[in-house]
Amino acid sequence: AKTPTGYAPPEALFQKLGSTVAAEGVAVDHDGDVLVAGEQGGLQELPRNDGKFGRPVMLPVEASMVLAVVADGAGDVYVAGSTGTSSSLIEELHQTGKTYSKVKSLTVNTSEVFGLAVDSSGHIFAADDEHNRVMEVTGFGSASPVVVTLPFAGARSPRGIVPLEGGGIAVADMLNNRIAILTGSGHLASSLTG
């Protein structure tokens, strides 16, 4: 496998992180810096400068065990992590220059969000491994956001999620050994099995 131009090989990234993090998820922000969600290390940023990665920087998140991270093109980063109880936090951080600040957070009724995605409309999708479901959050920035469980049934350990162009999402349904393609309304449209 080739390393994309301007990026260090993966080994170099994790040498920087050392043993402080059990990596659960990664994302690249709009500046090209790598964000690492760590089960034991919170959320760390590996700033990139001239194709090399600098020292890890801890970012301000409330969750003690961060399991998922996603970045949008506008400088916002969303993380999901456990609070040490039976609930999780979905948090939004905004990047201004090289500084991240927490914008808002939402508590959801699950302890295991292993996948997170944000579509172009600002809807947040969360893969709830504990309850084998996919949740959609609308109105995240409002006074009363709405969290619904999508009608997609039969998931077994949903993990990664990605929004699809034109609507819908793809979900890595780990224990069913498939990628489930969901419609914009959350129904199963097709599956890719391996």
Side-chain angles (χ1 to χ4, degrees):
K2 286 188 170 184
T3 302
T5 305
Y7 283 90
E11 301 81 33
L13 290 177
F14 291 100
Q15 286 172 354
K16 292 280 186 188
L17 290 170
S19 62
T20 62
V21 65
E24 291 286 349
V26 294
V28 177
D29 69 13
H30 73 285
D31 287 338
D33 300 331
V34 174
L35 304 166
V36 180
E39 190 172 304
Q40 297 153 353
L43 180 65
Q44 296 185 42
E45 176 189 40
L46 290 168
R48 191 169 67 101
N49 189 7
D50 295 326
K52 296 183 181 174
F53 291 96
R55 297 179 58 108
V57 176
M58 292 299 294
L59 297 183
V61 294
E62 247 179 272
S64 56
M65 184 169 65
V66 179
L67 300 174
V69 59
V70 65
D72 67 15
D76 292 321
V77 172
Y78 299 85
V79 298
S82 174
T83 60
T85 65
S86 61
S87 62
S88 290
L89 278 178
I90 297 176
E91 301 175 68
E92 179 187 4
L93 305 175
H94 183 73
Q95 183 180 19
T96 306
K98 286 293 189 184
T99 304
Y100 280 93
S101 55
K102 184 174 171 182
V103 178
K104 54 189 135 299
S105 65
L106 173 68
T107 302
V108 291
N109 185 24
T110 182
S111 63
E112 297 179 357
V113 173
F114 278 103
L116 203 58
V118 179
D119 70 11
S120 59
S121 300
H123 296 195
I124 299 170
F125 298 92
D128 176 2
D129 184 69
E130 180 181 17
H131 298 105
N132 291 314
R133 65 183 176 171
V134 176
M135 299 178 292
E136 179 180 11
V137 181
T138 56
F140 187 72
S142 70
S144 46
V146 176
V147 179
V148 297
T149 298
L150 297 181
F152 166 54
R156 293 178 52 224
S157 195
R159 296 296 176 112
I161 299 180
V162 64
L164 301 173
E165 196 171 301
I169 57 174
V171 180
D173 189 3
M174 188 173 77
L175 294 181
N176 283 324
N177 195 29
R178 68 179 176 174
I179 304 297
I181 308 299
L182 307 184
T183 64
S185 59
H187 292 87
L188 182 63
S190 62
S191 293
L192 306 170
T193 58

